[in-house]
Amino acid sequence: MKKYILLIAMLATSLCPLQAQVVTDGDDYEDEEEEVIVDENNEFTIRDKNGNEEVIDFPEAMDYDLDSLLNLYLSKTYLKQDSDCNMRDVNPTYSKEEYIERLSRLPTVMEMSYNDVVLKFIERYSGRLRQSVSYMLGAANFYMPIFEEALDAYGLPLELKYLPIIESALNPKAVSRVGATGLWQFMLATGKQYGLNVNSLVDDRRDPVKASYAAARYMQALYRIFGDWNLVIAAYNCGPENINKAIHRAGGVKDYWKIYPYLPSETRGYVPAFIAANYIMTYYSFHNICPMQTTLPEKTDTVVVNRNVHLQQIAAVLELDIEMLRSLNPQYRRDIVPGATEPSAIKLPLADTSRFIDNQDSIFAYNAAELLSKRAEVAINDETPTFTSNRKTTVRRTTTTRKRTTTTARRRTTTARKTTPAKKTTTARKR
């Protein structure tokens, strides 16, 4: 007998790290606060109407502290609370039919189904995570045009632009506990497979543009395998191998909701969370959520260098904020642009690109010995080592002892040689 599909209830960024345990009884949900019990293991338990329980891991992005997101350079510089927001800080309740009707009106290619699992994620976004949603609505102005351009270039559904909300909470510096990095949370091997350069100085997974195009190529490849967008999203989370195993265990059916019980615990919440993210990013005003006000950054352009340069050199000569340069060029892990390895692009405010070109000799020369301290050539110290008198005495004594030992050994050997051959010769003559 197949398992009942288990109900889920949590995701997204929160005002503080949160772990929870959720216990439900069929469709009869009690007050949300009473359902959620904090759990130290970063997981929660769902119980179906028959009393069957299953532990489900939270997607990691829900642990991101809102304060840390607001301390990012773009957030501090270009986001602020909307002082004109007149909405009450109250989350209205709606009927099942209203949610179904709104989801059906979303302009999407992908299936945006309603069920109790999706509802619990919507309630979490619109309830406890309201301020996180406010941040993400503001930060979306920085990143959504980049995501949409990459997805459109590969002919993918534009609603996939909300996947980084689940993956990273729109935190470009996000690094998971297993090393997935950036807005799209690429693992190192997968990132390299799709053209992202990763070494000691560069990590293209942190570059919003490069990572977005790589993610689009990856999802295009997954769609060729599964032919279903829900399965593509699930495979993006846990890998195509795990999805194939779940399909096999479910009897070969390619339906996310049919293979649901056979998926890894975190992946069971992934598609419902994605549907809820599409809902809340569209219908936030129905839940009295005000986006943070956004001032868009200056337009930018790039210059390409074929010599190593440190971001501190650029900041000092052009009198620019180093944090701004780091924000525009997050792929350079140690502030060093390795132009000598291969031509490398540096993103600058549009007005400063010509200033860089005019002052590049001064930039390359500024404090280069300290900031770019790797030596191209070094001399070897070929002086003969000297020792103290105590070490010499010790060495001589050791040598003398060895000589005496060697002499004694030679004497014993000589005696042995003289004695043994003589006996053998005498015996031979007697015979």
Side-chain angles (χ1 to χ4, degrees):
M1 183 177 181
K2 293 186 178 180
K3 290 184 179 180
Y4 287 88
I5 294 181
L6 304 176
L7 303 179
I8 307 176
M10 248 185 118
L11 180 80
T13 51
S14 60
L15 298 179
C16 58
L18 176 67
Q19 298 91 21
Q21 184 179 28
V22 180
V23 179
T24 63
D25 183 14
D27 295 332
D28 298 326
Y29 295 106
E30 298 177 357
D31 182 78
E32 186 178 25
E33 294 300 322
E34 296 179 357
E35 294 174 356
V36 181
I37 302 174
V38 175
D39 188 286
E40 294 180 355
N41 296 320
N42 195 29
E43 59 190 24
F44 61 95
T45 303
I46 301 298
R47 180 186 298 149
D48 65 18
K49 62 184 179 182
N50 293 328
N52 298 317
E53 292 186 352
E54 183 120 6
V55 176
I56 299 175
D57 295 334
F58 288 141
E60 198 169 339
M62 70 172 298
D63 285 330
Y64 296 149
D65 192 326
L66 179 61
D67 288 340
S68 65
L69 295 172
L70 293 176
N71 278 324
L72 296 169
Y73 176 83
L74 285 176
S75 302
K76 291 189 297 183
T77 309
Y78 302 109
L79 289 181
K80 64 179 181 179
Q81 296 291 342
D82 186 357
S83 58
D84 295 327
C85 180
N86 296 318
M87 292 182 174
R88 294 184 303 148
D89 190 20
V90 175
N91 182 24
T93 58
Y94 296 100
S95 67
K96 171 182 175 180
E97 290 71 27
E98 287 174 299
Y99 283 119
I100 292 174
E101 192 270 336
R102 289 175 192 163
L103 286 169
S104 68
R105 285 194 287 111
L106 289 173
T108 64
V109 172
M110 299 174 63
E111 183 179 79
M112 295 288 166
S113 302
Y114 172 90
N115 54 40
D116 291 327
V117 181
V118 173
L119 174 62
K120 295 309 294 179
F121 280 92
I122 293 174
E123 290 176 345
R124 182 60 54 181
Y125 276 127
S126 59
R128 183 172 297 183
L129 304 177
R130 299 169 61 80
Q131 295 185 51
S132 296
V133 172
S134 179
Y135 158 78
M136 289 187 288
L137 286 164
N141 290 296
F142 305 141
Y143 301 116
M144 291 305 164
I146 298 173
F147 301 162
E148 289 174 339
E149 185 175 320
L151 294 168
D152 188 58
Y154 286 89
L156 305 187
L158 295 187
E159 52 267 30
L160 288 166
K161 65 187 178 184
Y162 294 124
L163 198 59
I165 289 176
I166 313 302
E167 287 288 338
S168 63
L170 297 186
N171 178 5
K173 295 184 177 181
V175 179
S176 77
R177 60 179 174 268
V178 295
T181 299
L183 289 162
W184 292 89
Q185 289 289 280
F186 269 105
M187 293 296 290
L188 191 147
T190 308
K192 286 194 169 187
Q193 183 181 353
Y194 286 90
L196 298 179
N197 188 23
V198 182
N199 56 47
S200 296
L201 298 180
V202 177
D203 191 343
D204 284 340
R205 296 176 297 173
R206 300 181 180 185
D207 185 319
V209 176
K210 291 181 180 179
S212 296
Y213 279 88
R217 290 196 299 273
Y218 183 33
M219 288 187 285
Q220 184 184 60
L222 290 173
Y223 187 75
R224 292 194 187 107
I225 297 172
F226 298 109
D228 179 275
W229 286 111
N230 282 344
L231 294 180
V232 167
I233 295 172
Y236 192 95
N237 175 252
C238 67
E241 299 83 3
N242 285 319
I243 299 302
N244 281 326
K245 289 177 186 176
I247 291 172
H248 180 73
R249 289 167 180 162
V253 59
K254 290 187 175 183
D255 185 324
Y256 173 83
W257 300 105
K258 297 295 184 184
I259 69 172
Y260 181 90
Y262 307 101
L263 293 170
S265 55
E266 183 177 324
T267 309
R268 293 190 197 111
Y270 204 71
V271 169
F274 175 76
I275 294 172
N278 273 267
Y279 172 92
I280 202 65
M281 295 295 282
T282 304
Y283 297 114
Y284 57 87
S285 62
F286 286 79
H287 297 271
N288 293 329
I289 298 175
C290 289
M292 294 188 73
Q293 288 185 327
T294 308
T295 303
L296 291 178
E298 302 177 58
K299 291 184 178 180
T300 61
D301 200 355
T302 58
V303 293
V304 178
V305 295
N306 55 13
R307 295 170 57 182
N308 290 355
V309 62
H310 199 287
L311 294 183
Q312 288 280 10
Q313 294 176 292
I314 302 171
V317 174
L318 300 185
E319 298 181 343
L320 299 176
D321 184 348
I322 184 65
E323 290 300 325
M324 180 267 291
L325 290 177
R326 288 169 178 157
S327 177
L328 291 177
N329 301 277
Q331 68 272 33
Y332 299 123
R333 306 172 74 170
R334 290 170 173 80
D335 291 349
I336 297 174
V337 182
T341 302
E342 61 180 355
S344 301
I346 305 170
K347 187 176 289 187
L348 296 168
L350 183 61
D352 295 306
T353 53
S354 58
R355 293 177 59 221
F356 179 94
I357 295 170
D358 293 339
N359 295 277
Q360 57 183 325
D361 290 339
S362 299
I363 291 171
F364 290 130
Y366 178 84
N367 209 10
E370 179 181 341
L371 294 173
L372 303 171
S373 58
K374 288 201 308 182
R375 296 172 295 176
E377 182 180 2
V378 295
I380 300 173
N381 183 0
D382 58 0
E383 294 180 2
T384 303
T386 57
F387 302 93
T388 64
S389 59
N390 289 336
R391 286 182 63 86
K392 286 183 179 179
T393 303
T394 302
V395 172
R396 285 175 182 172
R397 287 177 180 174
T398 304
T399 304
T400 303
T401 302
R402 288 178 181 171
K403 285 183 177 179
R404 288 176 181 174
T405 304
T406 304
T407 303
T408 303
R410 285 177 180 171
R411 287 176 181 173
R412 290 175 180 172
T413 304
T414 304
T415 304
R417 285 178 180 172
K418 288 180 179 179
T419 304
T420 305
K423 289 182 180 180
K424 287 183 178 178
T425 304
T426 304
T427 305
R429 285 179 179 174
K430 286 181 179 181
R431 288 180 181 174

